[in-house]
Amino acid sequence: MNPGCFKAYDIRGRVPEELNEGLCRRVGRAFVAERGARTVLVGRDVRLESPSLAWALIEGLTSRGADVIDIGICGTEEVYFGTCHRQADGGIMVTASHNPRGYNGMKLVGRSATPISADSGLFAIRDRAFGADLAPATRIGAVSADADKAAYIRHLLTCIDPVALRPLKVVADPGNGCAGP
């Protein structure tokens, strides 16, 4: 585990040297302790290690008493939308974004999907994660899996006027990203 993987706007590092399941658990516990979060939405990208890192994060969040809504494979914007839509206390996306294979990370937001960066609490979460061990809460949080994208799709459709669109022929290549599912 390496505190250097906490950047100005997110957490990123090589897996497992800098970022691993142990750090993800500690980030989960620290997030709840620092933010007082009761409900946290968690999503992940399609990198091979993302499921195990997300599950470790969820274990950390629930061990401190937070309930988790696991939305599964998604784009980062879905975590932001879901955090607002479900009025969660925070959201965490497990992703290394544009970084190459071998890297992973996390993007954190608070209520109303307000970004958590170095100047708004990310380093306080880092300090808790690397500080004294955070004891479990008296209540273990619950996990609910909810990958239903209907509300997100309805929201996206409010951004366009489908009547104004002319008929289109669309070719899509989702590549190796989460756009496929």
Side-chain angles (χ1 to χ4, degrees):
M1 298 186 296
N2 182 346
C5 64
F6 283 75
K7 311 296 184 193
Y9 300 102
D10 59 10
I11 302 167
R12 283 177 280 119
R14 289 198 54 78
V15 177
E17 302 87 3
E18 298 172 311
L19 180 77
N20 55 40
E21 293 170 3
L23 179 57
C24 289
R25 270 187 212 90
R26 293 179 83 76
V27 166
R29 291 194 300 262
F31 185 90
V32 174
E34 186 65 28
R35 307 292 295 191
R38 291 171 302 185
T39 304
V40 181
L41 191 122
V42 174
R44 66 180 180 278
D45 67 13
V46 296
R47 291 171 188 264
L48 294 177
E49 65 279 348
S50 289
S52 63
L53 294 177
W55 187 248
L57 171 67
I58 289 169
E59 287 175 344
L61 292 164
T62 58
S63 75
R64 292 289 302 162
D67 293 329
V68 172
I69 303 167
D70 180 3
I71 64 170
I73 295 172
C74 64
T76 303
E77 64 281 359
E78 290 179 66
V79 169
Y80 299 162
F81 170 81
T83 300
C84 287
H85 179 73
R86 297 165 190 256
Q87 298 179 348
D89 298 312
I92 304 176
M93 176 67 182
V94 175
T95 182
S97 186
H98 61 283
N99 286 281
R101 181 178 172 190
Y103 284 81
N104 215 317
M106 291 174 268
K107 294 178 185 252
L108 290 70
V109 294
R111 287 188 153 281
S112 303
T114 304
I116 298 173
S117 62
D119 58 357
S120 62
L122 185 60
F123 288 171
I125 292 169
R126 175 201 62 199
D127 294 346
R128 280 191 189 254
F130 283 93
D133 194 27
L134 296 163
T138 56
R139 172 190 177 274
I140 301 298
V143 180
S144 60
D146 187 355
D148 182 7
K149 297 180 184 301
Y152 179 63
I153 292 168
R154 279 193 305 276
H155 167 73
L156 291 178
L157 291 174
T158 67
C159 299
I160 63 165
D161 178 6
V163 175
L165 293 177
R166 58 185 168 90
L168 301 172
K169 290 183 180 179
V170 178
V171 176
D173 178 5
N176 296 317
C178 64

